[in-house]
Structures are given as structure tokens and as C-alpha cells.
Amino acid sequence: MVEDIALHYFNLFSHKDINALNDLFADSITLRDWEIDAKGKTEVLQANKVIFESVTNIEVQPVKLYSAGHTVIAELRILVNGIEEELVVDILEFDTDLKIKAIRAYKGN
């Protein structure tokens, strides 16, 4: 179940669908990566909006998913503007309502 939601999240992110992402996020969501440390749904959505506005397109390609309980670890290949490739590991944590409560992203290269 959480793996399906994670895949849906990556698809929505690839489509830059901020409104649909809003529905997946818990109110108290946190986002941390190598550049961002956002807390709360408003800050996290704003951080995503900044990312989306800074690129023409972004495509998140899951390579491998691992799950345990309410946590998904995803190895990702992210294509930015069709040419720039980032290898990233995302750790997604879900609350009891299966809303994403935490996203931690780590660069792989």
C-alpha cells in the first residue's frame, strides 16, 4: 500500500501537480534534502513550487523501492530538463492515515 502511494507521489512530482501533492501530504510534513529544510504543509508545498518553477520538466524514475511498515526507501533516477541526471535516495514516512509525514532526500552522486 505505501509503495503504491510512493509511486503515485513520484508521478505527481514528475507532473509538477502541486494541488494533488497537497492531498498526499500530512499537515505536519517535513522535507529535508541537501538544500531544503521545510516544516509544515505550506512550507513543503512552497519548496516544491520553487523546484517546479526552476525547471522546464522533471522526471522521477523509481529504480528500486524498499518498504517496512510505514516507511518507503526509494532509489531514484531524476532527469531535469531531459538531460541533467541526479541519482537520489528518498525516504518517505507515512502517518496512520497514509499521508506523507516526512521526506528525506539524499544525493547519490
Side-chain angles (χ1 to χ4, degrees):
M1 171 72 75
V2 291
E3 285 188 9
D4 293 333
I5 299 169
L7 290 171
H8 185 56
Y9 162 72
F10 299 133
N11 184 51
L12 293 174
F13 194 93
S14 294
H15 286 93
K16 302 197 274 187
D17 191 340
I18 204 83
N19 293 322
L21 289 175
N22 179 65
D23 295 337
L24 288 184
F25 293 165
D27 289 338
S28 60
I29 188 171
T30 60
L31 167 64
R32 187 180 70 220
D33 68 14
W34 53 96
E35 294 179 354
I36 300 167
D37 187 8
K39 294 174 178 64
K41 191 186 280 194
T42 301
E43 280 188 30
V44 171
L45 288 170
Q46 180 60 32
N48 280 275
K49 184 177 177 185
V50 169
I51 292 167
F52 297 159
E53 290 175 349
S54 72
V55 299
T56 303
N57 59 49
I58 188 164
E59 183 182 349
V60 180
Q61 302 171 343
V63 176
K64 185 82 174 168
L65 295 179
Y66 309 88
S67 64
H70 283 96
T71 302
V72 172
I73 300 169
E75 294 179 55
L76 306 170
R77 181 175 173 252
I78 301 176
L79 292 177
V80 178
N81 298 328
I83 53 170
E84 299 173 48
E85 180 181 84
E86 293 280 351
L87 300 176
V88 174
V89 172
D90 270 10
I91 300 172
L92 306 178
E93 290 184 40
F94 295 83
D95 66 15
T96 55
D97 295 323
L98 299 179
K99 298 284 187 180
I100 300 172
K101 70 177 185 176
I103 303 167
R104 290 183 307 279
Y106 302 92
K107 268 187 169 182
N109 61 340

